Structures are given as structure tokens and as C-alpha cells.
Amino acid sequence: MIAFGPVPSRRLGKSLGVNNIPDKVCSYACVYCQIGRTIKMQVERQEFYDPKEIVEDVERKVNEALEKGERIDYITFVPDGEPTLDINLGKEAEMLKDIGIRLAILTNSSLVWREDVREDLMSFDFISLKLDAVTQDMWRKVDRPHKSLSLDKILEGMLTLRDEFSGVVVTETMLININYGDELERIAEFLKDLKPDKAYIAIPTRPPAEKWVRPASEKVIHLAYQLFSGAIGPENVEYLIGYEGNAFAFTGNVEEDILSITAVHPMREDAVRELLRKANASWNVVERLIREGKLIELEYDGVKFYMRKLKSRL
């Protein structure tokens, strides 16, 4: 099946997925990949499906969803491999524009150095770029790229794409249980140049390709948040740590509000106290959430922050 969903997405609302690449044909073999190990590594673009077949399947799915009263905010290319390997990507996107729904794509960024790939991406409204590392050693350790790829060319391609593209550009950085050294500082410096509309910080939430992979610690995640926020502003940095659905929803229940907000953004102590004041609640709520293992307290630059505790390890 090529089209699937729609599924809820924090980034994209209700998203109808397009699986335009056969199982695990990819330019990377990321250690954390939720789909499993890469079956076929390649960097050359080719035709995998007839564009008409893709468009017809998407149209069918859209009609089925609309008949059931489902909302679709985006049609999203998010396949079981790297979507830009599809040589017909631009053609498919142009054909799908006639449906009248915004188009999004989630790419590992590996081919954005190619002019033809960037041209194809111009047909989209929303582009998510993978940004797990900006140094060779870390890139090879985490993303395990095809041997012919050049990280310098990829990073340069990302900056060029940002200049050429008028739609929304976001990044996604997956954090796992490795020693990052000064990598997070280096990523933050690159983000300062890239200026994405949003930088997402993610952790593995499903079984990874390699069994040793676990989510990074809360301290590492929080450090990344602070560094990225310093580079592009806290309003442009968010977590993607597995708590979809109720982020920032006002529930009238202060406990739920604290947990939903801190799943996306860490809250400063003064912000938590202000929320409690509005809800006529005491600090006991926070102390209880910490005791119950739902909330953790962290310190950065002399300021206390509160963050939702990660779900149990994989």
C-alpha cells in the first residue's frame, strides 16, 4: 500500500502518508531506525513506482478519509526508505498539488546537495531535514551513510535549500545513548546559520535497528534544548519524545497541563509557579509528580527547569 492514514502528527496535524520507496531502500543505515536495518543501500535515484499509481492511490485514500469526515492537513512523503531516491518525486508532487492539500516530506537530507533533488523539493510546502550530526565521526557512528556521500556537501546543500525554498523548513535531531562530546554545541552553531522554522529534538520511541540503542538521558536532551534555544530561540525548539496529541492543550487540569507542556518544552520554575497560581494549586502538585516519576527537575545556567520524565527505556 502506497498511501496510508491519515495519522495524527504534532508537526503536521492530520497527515496522510505516502510510501513512495520499497521497504528499506535507503542512503543511510541509521542505528536507531524504527523500520529496521537497511536492506539496500543506494544513492542513485530511480523510478520505483509509476507516478500515476502513486497519485491514484493517494486520491483514493483522500476520498475515503473525506467521506468519513476525516480532516487532512498534509499529504506527507514518509516512506520505508529515503523519499528523495525517487526520481519521479517532483513530478508526483506536482500532480498531487491538484488535490488542494499541502505537501510535506521527511528526508534524511543525504541528497539535498544535488540540484535536481532541491528542484523537486521546491514543489513541497513543508520539508523536514535530518540533522543528527555535523562532524564526520558522529555522522558515521549514528547515521552510517553510504560510503560515497560527503557530509560537507550535505550540510552545504541544506544551507542552499534553505535559501532557495520559501516554505517551512524544520530539522530533526535524534538523540541516543552515546557520548556527544561537543557535538551538540556544533549542531547548535549550524542551526544558527540554517535558521530553520523549528528544530525538533527526538529520541527513539520504537524498537531500533540496533539493540544497543537507547534514548539519550534527560540531561543530554535538556542540554540540547538549551543549546539549540540559544542558537535560534526557545520558541523555535521542540521535543518529539513520544507524547503526541495533547501538547499545549488547556485541560483545566493543572497536572495534565504541566505534563503536556513539559513533554514538548521544559518549563522554568517561575513558569510552573505561575501556572499553579492561575490554577489555584500548590507546589505540592510538582513534588508529587516528581515522586511518582512523571516529572524531573533539571538545572541549567543556575535556573531550575522541569521536564516530563521519558517513558520507560526500550
Side-chain angles (χ1 to χ4, degrees):
M1 185 179 294
I2 293 170
F4 62 94
V7 297
S9 164
R10 179 179 298 141
R11 288 170 290 186
L12 300 168
K14 281 292 188 73
S15 167
L16 184 82
V18 181
N19 192 356
N20 66 319
I21 302 289
D23 281 357
K24 224 50 183 65
V25 178
C26 198
S27 50
Y28 282 178
C30 300
V31 295
Y32 57 77
C33 185
Q34 66 185 29
I35 303 166
R37 292 181 175 175
T38 296
I39 297 169
K40 184 180 181 184
M41 289 277 286
Q42 73 176 63
V43 292
E44 288 305 314
R45 306 183 80 196
Q46 69 174 81
E47 179 176 297
F48 295 97
Y49 300 105
D50 183 329
K52 288 183 181 178
E53 181 185 355
I54 288 179
V55 173
E56 287 173 1
D57 202 48
V58 171
E59 287 176 338
R60 177 185 60 79
K61 241 346 189 172
V62 167
N63 290 332
E64 286 178 1
L66 295 180
E67 284 173 8
K68 294 175 183 174
E70 289 274 3
R71 187 183 84 247
I72 302 174
D73 298 306
Y74 279 93
I75 294 171
T76 308
F77 281 69
V78 53
D80 292 340
E82 170 48 37
T84 60
L85 286 170
D86 181 359
I87 202 165
N88 294 317
L89 181 65
K91 185 186 298 184
E92 292 153 4
E94 283 299 313
M95 293 168 71
L96 287 170
K97 277 187 172 183
D98 291 340
I99 295 176
I101 298 173
R102 289 173 294 179
L103 299 177
I105 186 167
L106 278 56
T107 170
N108 67 15
S109 312
S110 62
L111 301 182
V112 296
W113 56 274
R114 292 179 53 142
E115 188 175 350
D116 62 332
V117 169
R118 293 199 306 275
E119 284 178 6
D120 287 352
L121 292 173
M122 294 301 124
S123 299
F124 289 81
D125 302 289
F126 179 106
I127 302 172
S128 176
L129 298 169
K130 181 198 290 288
L131 181 64
D132 290 337
V134 294
T135 62
Q136 289 284 341
D137 288 348
M138 192 64 67
W139 179 55
R140 295 194 182 284
K141 183 172 187 175
V142 176
D143 292 340
R144 298 190 299 193
H146 189 282
K147 61 185 179 181
S148 70
L149 291 170
S150 160
L151 178 59
D152 288 343
K153 286 174 70 173
I154 290 169
L155 296 174
E156 185 180 334
M158 291 171 74
L159 293 170
T160 302
L161 175 70
R162 185 61 170 127
D163 288 340
E164 295 173 346
F165 185 65
S166 60
V168 176
V169 174
V170 306
T171 59
E172 182 173 329
T173 301
M174 185 71 76
L175 298 180
I176 61 173
N177 55 325
I178 55 176
N179 180 5
Y180 280 93
D182 64 354
E183 188 73 21
L184 298 177
E185 286 89 345
R186 290 170 180 261
I187 293 174
E189 283 300 310
F190 181 76
L191 287 171
K192 194 180 292 184
D193 292 335
L194 185 67
K195 300 179 180 65
D197 294 289
K198 191 83 73 173
Y200 288 99
I201 297 169
I203 59 167
T205 56
R206 298 178 182 88
E210 303 301 333
K211 291 183 178 179
W212 60 265
V213 172
R214 296 288 183 273
S217 69
E218 284 89 351
K219 287 185 178 180
V220 168
I221 295 167
H222 185 61
L223 176 62
Y225 180 90
Q226 296 299 336
L227 291 169
F228 295 3
S229 294
I232 60 173
E235 69 279 6
N236 297 319
V237 184
E238 275 192 25
Y239 291 145
L240 283 177
I241 57 176
Y243 300 102
E244 299 281 352
N246 66 344
F248 295 107
F250 178 72
T251 65
N253 180 320
V254 70
E255 178 179 324
E256 289 181 13
D257 288 342
I258 289 172
L259 292 176
S260 65
I261 294 170
T262 57
V264 183
H265 291 285
M267 292 181 73
R268 290 169 55 110
E269 181 179 355
D270 54 354
V272 177
R273 290 189 182 278
E274 175 63 16
L275 184 61
L276 291 168
R277 185 189 65 76
K278 288 179 180 176
N280 293 316
S282 74
W283 192 253
N284 291 338
V285 173
V286 172
E287 292 175 342
R288 180 170 52 77
L289 289 174
I290 292 173
R291 281 198 311 272
E292 292 174 354
K294 295 178 181 177
L295 197 68
I296 62 168
E297 182 182 273
L298 296 160
E299 190 169 307
Y300 183 82
D301 224 10
V303 179
K304 285 183 180 177
F305 288 83
Y306 295 85
M307 171 181 162
R308 185 164 181 169
K309 178 76 175 174
L310 300 184
K311 289 184 177 179
S312 60
R313 295 306 194 210
L314 303 172

mmCIF file of all heavy atoms in Angstrom, residues 15 23-24 33 43 52 73 86 105 114 123 125 147 171 182 188 197 209 219 223 252 269 273 288 310:
data_model
loop_
_atom_site.group_PDB
_atom_site.id
_atom_site.type_symbol
_atom_site.label_atom_id
_atom_site.label_comp_id
_atom_site.label_asym_id
_atom_site.label_seq_id
_atom_site.Cartn_x
_atom_site.Cartn_y
_atom_site.Cartn_z
ATOM 1 N N SER A 15 -2.067 13.852 9.036
ATOM 2 C CA SER A 15 -1.197 13.641 7.884
ATOM 3 C C SER A 15 -1.548 12.346 7.157
ATOM 4 O O SER A 15 -1.654 11.286 7.774
ATOM 5 C CB SER A 15 0.264 13.596 8.358
ATOM 6 O OG SER A 15 1.120 13.113 7.352
ATOM 7 N N ASP A 23 10.430 -1.239 0.778
ATOM 8 C CA ASP A 23 10.994 -1.471 2.114
ATOM 9 C C ASP A 23 12.500 -1.321 2.160
ATOM 10 O O ASP A 23 13.245 -2.058 1.511
ATOM 11 C CB ASP A 23 10.613 -2.876 2.620
ATOM 12 C CG ASP A 23 9.188 -2.885 3.143
ATOM 13 O OD1 ASP A 23 8.565 -1.808 3.159
ATOM 14 O OD2 ASP A 23 8.714 -3.966 3.523
ATOM 15 N N LYS A 24 12.904 -0.358 2.951
ATOM 16 C CA LYS A 24 14.282 -0.142 3.388
ATOM 17 C C LYS A 24 15.315 -0.037 2.271
ATOM 18 O O LYS A 24 16.383 -0.631 2.346
ATOM 19 C CB LYS A 24 14.659 -1.211 4.412
ATOM 20 C CG LYS A 24 15.411 -0.623 5.604
ATOM 21 C CD LYS A 24 14.687 0.588 6.172
ATOM 22 C CE LYS A 24 15.435 1.251 7.303
ATOM 23 N NZ LYS A 24 16.697 1.846 6.974
ATOM 24 N N CYS A 33 16.994 3.339 13.468
ATOM 25 C CA CYS A 33 15.844 3.284 12.568
ATOM 26 C C CYS A 33 14.763 2.330 13.077
ATOM 27 O O CYS A 33 15.032 1.157 13.362
ATOM 28 C CB CYS A 33 16.276 2.862 11.167
ATOM 29 S SG CYS A 33 14.914 2.927 9.978
ATOM 30 N N VAL A 43 22.487 5.439 -3.491
ATOM 31 C CA VAL A 43 22.391 6.890 -3.571
ATOM 32 C C VAL A 43 21.913 7.339 -4.951
ATOM 33 O O VAL A 43 21.619 8.513 -5.150
ATOM 34 C CB VAL A 43 23.739 7.580 -3.256
ATOM 35 C CG1 VAL A 43 24.105 7.399 -1.799
ATOM 36 C CG2 VAL A 43 24.846 7.068 -4.165
ATOM 37 N N LYS A 52 1.612 7.714 -11.766
ATOM 38 C CA LYS A 52 0.144 7.646 -11.832
ATOM 39 C C LYS A 52 -0.404 6.712 -10.760
ATOM 40 O O LYS A 52 -1.464 6.970 -10.174
ATOM 41 C CB LYS A 52 -0.305 7.166 -13.219
ATOM 42 C CG LYS A 52 -0.121 8.198 -14.329
ATOM 43 C CD LYS A 52 -0.642 7.671 -15.645
ATOM 44 C CE LYS A 52 -0.442 8.691 -16.769
ATOM 45 N NZ LYS A 52 -0.905 8.154 -18.078
ATOM 46 N N ASP A 73 -4.544 17.566 6.892
ATOM 47 C CA ASP A 73 -3.802 18.826 6.852
ATOM 48 C C ASP A 73 -2.647 18.771 5.860
ATOM 49 O O ASP A 73 -2.310 19.779 5.237
ATOM 50 C CB ASP A 73 -3.261 19.168 8.247
ATOM 51 C CG ASP A 73 -4.386 19.371 9.248
ATOM 52 O OD1 ASP A 73 -5.269 20.200 8.969
ATOM 53 O OD2 ASP A 73 -4.387 18.692 10.296
ATOM 54 N N ASP A 86 13.548 8.631 -5.078
ATOM 55 C CA ASP A 86 12.536 8.504 -6.124
ATOM 56 C C ASP A 86 12.768 9.578 -7.185
ATOM 57 O O ASP A 86 12.590 10.767 -6.919
ATOM 58 C CB ASP A 86 11.149 8.666 -5.488
ATOM 59 C CG ASP A 86 10.013 8.531 -6.478
ATOM 60 O OD1 ASP A 86 10.282 8.335 -7.683
ATOM 61 O OD2 ASP A 86 8.845 8.639 -6.042
ATOM 62 N N ILE A 105 7.361 16.594 3.270
ATOM 63 C CA ILE A 105 8.298 15.492 3.054
ATOM 64 C C ILE A 105 9.277 15.422 4.217
ATOM 65 O O ILE A 105 9.734 16.454 4.718
ATOM 66 C CB ILE A 105 9.048 15.634 1.711
ATOM 67 C CG1 ILE A 105 9.922 14.394 1.438
ATOM 68 C CG2 ILE A 105 9.863 16.921 1.653
ATOM 69 C CD1 ILE A 105 10.438 14.324 0.005
ATOM 70 N N ARG A 114 22.292 17.699 -4.237
ATOM 71 C CA ARG A 114 22.013 17.565 -5.672
ATOM 72 C C ARG A 114 20.996 18.622 -6.108
ATOM 73 O O ARG A 114 19.932 18.770 -5.488
ATOM 74 C CB ARG A 114 21.464 16.175 -5.986
ATOM 75 C CG ARG A 114 22.465 15.052 -5.796
ATOM 76 C CD ARG A 114 21.860 13.701 -6.108
ATOM 77 N NE ARG A 114 21.239 13.653 -7.448
ATOM 78 C CZ ARG A 114 21.299 12.607 -8.256
ATOM 79 N NH1 ARG A 114 21.975 11.518 -7.896
ATOM 80 N NH2 ARG A 114 20.701 12.630 -9.425
ATOM 81 N N SER A 123 8.531 21.796 -4.870
ATOM 82 C CA SER A 123 7.097 21.561 -5.060
ATOM 83 C C SER A 123 6.359 21.312 -3.742
ATOM 84 O O SER A 123 5.133 21.192 -3.731
ATOM 85 C CB SER A 123 6.879 20.362 -5.991
ATOM 86 O OG SER A 123 7.437 20.607 -7.264
ATOM 87 N N ASP A 125 5.442 22.098 0.486
ATOM 88 C CA ASP A 125 5.156 23.225 1.377
ATOM 89 C C ASP A 125 5.934 23.138 2.679
ATOM 90 O O ASP A 125 6.154 24.148 3.341
ATOM 91 C CB ASP A 125 3.645 23.255 1.709
ATOM 92 C CG ASP A 125 2.790 23.366 0.461
ATOM 93 O OD1 ASP A 125 2.791 24.444 -0.157
ATOM 94 O OD2 ASP A 125 2.145 22.367 0.088
ATOM 95 N N LYS A 147 28.893 4.996 1.522
ATOM 96 C CA LYS A 147 30.306 5.387 1.520
ATOM 97 C C LYS A 147 30.625 6.514 0.542
ATOM 98 O O LYS A 147 31.639 7.204 0.688
ATOM 99 C CB LYS A 147 31.182 4.169 1.200
ATOM 100 C CG LYS A 147 30.917 3.550 -0.160
ATOM 101 C CD LYS A 147 31.742 2.287 -0.356
ATOM 102 C CE LYS A 147 31.459 1.639 -1.708
ATOM 103 N NZ LYS A 147 32.242 0.397 -1.899
ATOM 104 N N THR A 171 14.134 20.972 11.233
ATOM 105 C CA THR A 171 15.159 19.931 11.380
ATOM 106 C C THR A 171 14.718 18.953 12.457
ATOM 107 O O THR A 171 13.903 19.286 13.327
ATOM 108 C CB THR A 171 16.524 20.521 11.770
ATOM 109 O OG1 THR A 171 16.393 21.234 13.009
ATOM 110 C CG2 THR A 171 17.046 21.441 10.691
ATOM 111 N N ASP A 182 31.378 17.575 22.205
ATOM 112 C CA ASP A 182 30.912 18.929 21.889
ATOM 113 C C ASP A 182 30.040 18.955 20.624
ATOM 114 O O ASP A 182 29.820 20.007 20.032
ATOM 115 C CB ASP A 182 32.099 19.880 21.716
ATOM 116 C CG ASP A 182 32.998 19.510 20.536
ATOM 117 O OD1 ASP A 182 32.764 18.441 19.914
ATOM 118 O OD2 ASP A 182 33.923 20.276 20.238
ATOM 119 N N ALA A 188 24.287 23.183 17.246
ATOM 120 C CA ALA A 188 23.662 24.475 17.547
ATOM 121 C C ALA A 188 24.240 25.587 16.679
ATOM 122 O O ALA A 188 23.507 26.454 16.176
ATOM 123 C CB ALA A 188 23.831 24.813 19.027
ATOM 124 N N ASP A 197 12.653 26.918 10.677
ATOM 125 C CA ASP A 197 11.450 27.426 11.347
ATOM 126 C C ASP A 197 11.242 26.727 12.688
ATOM 127 O O ASP A 197 10.659 27.304 13.606
ATOM 128 C CB ASP A 197 10.235 27.197 10.441
ATOM 129 C CG ASP A 197 10.323 28.029 9.173
ATOM 130 O OD1 ASP A 197 10.174 29.251 9.268
ATOM 131 O OD2 ASP A 197 10.568 27.456 8.099
ATOM 132 N N ALA A 209 16.956 -0.310 15.037
ATOM 133 C CA ALA A 209 17.647 -1.292 14.193
ATOM 134 C C ALA A 209 18.708 -2.053 14.979
ATOM 135 O O ALA A 209 18.893 -3.259 14.783
ATOM 136 C CB ALA A 209 18.277 -0.589 12.989
ATOM 137 N N LYS A 219 19.266 14.581 30.840
ATOM 138 C CA LYS A 219 20.228 15.684 30.926
ATOM 139 C C LYS A 219 20.771 16.063 29.548
ATOM 140 O O LYS A 219 20.925 17.243 29.233
ATOM 141 C CB LYS A 219 21.375 15.319 31.871
ATOM 142 C CG LYS A 219 20.972 15.334 33.331
ATOM 143 C CD LYS A 219 22.165 15.095 34.243
ATOM 144 C CE LYS A 219 21.737 15.171 35.712
ATOM 145 N NZ LYS A 219 22.878 14.938 36.628
ATOM 146 N N LEU A 223 20.145 19.548 27.664
ATOM 147 C CA LEU A 223 21.282 20.341 27.208
ATOM 148 C C LEU A 223 21.109 20.728 25.738
ATOM 149 O O LEU A 223 21.344 21.886 25.350
ATOM 150 C CB LEU A 223 22.587 19.557 27.382
ATOM 151 C CG LEU A 223 23.857 20.235 26.843
ATOM 152 C CD1 LEU A 223 24.115 21.554 27.563
ATOM 153 C CD2 LEU A 223 25.064 19.299 26.975
ATOM 154 N N GLY A 252 -7.753 22.341 31.891
ATOM 155 C CA GLY A 252 -8.382 22.716 33.158
ATOM 156 C C GLY A 252 -7.833 21.886 34.294
ATOM 157 O O GLY A 252 -8.101 22.138 35.466
ATOM 158 N N GLU A 269 11.132 27.169 36.515
ATOM 159 C CA GLU A 269 10.420 27.106 37.787
ATOM 160 C C GLU A 269 9.404 28.236 37.913
ATOM 161 O O GLU A 269 8.268 28.016 38.362
ATOM 162 C CB GLU A 269 11.411 27.170 38.953
ATOM 163 C CG GLU A 269 10.730 27.085 40.312
ATOM 164 C CD GLU A 269 11.714 27.133 41.470
ATOM 165 O OE1 GLU A 269 12.935 27.139 41.231
ATOM 166 O OE2 GLU A 269 11.241 27.166 42.622
ATOM 167 N N ARG A 273 5.349 27.877 38.544
ATOM 168 C CA ARG A 273 4.679 28.526 39.684
ATOM 169 C C ARG A 273 3.541 29.432 39.215
ATOM 170 O O ARG A 273 2.487 29.505 39.847
ATOM 171 C CB ARG A 273 5.695 29.311 40.513
ATOM 172 C CG ARG A 273 6.663 28.414 41.272
ATOM 173 C CD ARG A 273 7.528 29.186 42.261
ATOM 174 N NE ARG A 273 8.472 28.321 42.942
ATOM 175 C CZ ARG A 273 8.177 27.571 44.009
ATOM 176 N NH1 ARG A 273 6.946 27.589 44.506
ATOM 177 N NH2 ARG A 273 9.097 26.811 44.578
ATOM 178 N N ARG A 288 4.635 15.962 43.975
ATOM 179 C CA ARG A 288 4.004 14.647 43.796
ATOM 180 C C ARG A 288 4.346 14.049 42.434
ATOM 181 O O ARG A 288 4.642 12.853 42.321
ATOM 182 C CB ARG A 288 2.485 14.767 43.959
ATOM 183 C CG ARG A 288 1.749 13.427 43.792
ATOM 184 C CD ARG A 288 0.292 13.541 44.196
ATOM 185 N NE ARG A 288 -0.375 14.636 43.531
ATOM 186 C CZ ARG A 288 -0.791 14.609 42.256
ATOM 187 N NH1 ARG A 288 -0.594 13.520 41.524
ATOM 188 N NH2 ARG A 288 -1.413 15.634 41.725
ATOM 189 N N LEU A 310 10.938 10.739 30.668
ATOM 190 C CA LEU A 310 10.796 9.889 29.474
ATOM 191 C C LEU A 310 10.087 8.603 29.829
ATOM 192 O O LEU A 310 10.175 8.101 30.949
ATOM 193 C CB LEU A 310 12.165 9.565 28.898
ATOM 194 C CG LEU A 310 13.025 10.749 28.445
ATOM 195 C CD1 LEU A 310 14.299 10.239 27.825
ATOM 196 C CD2 LEU A 310 12.280 11.621 27.466
#
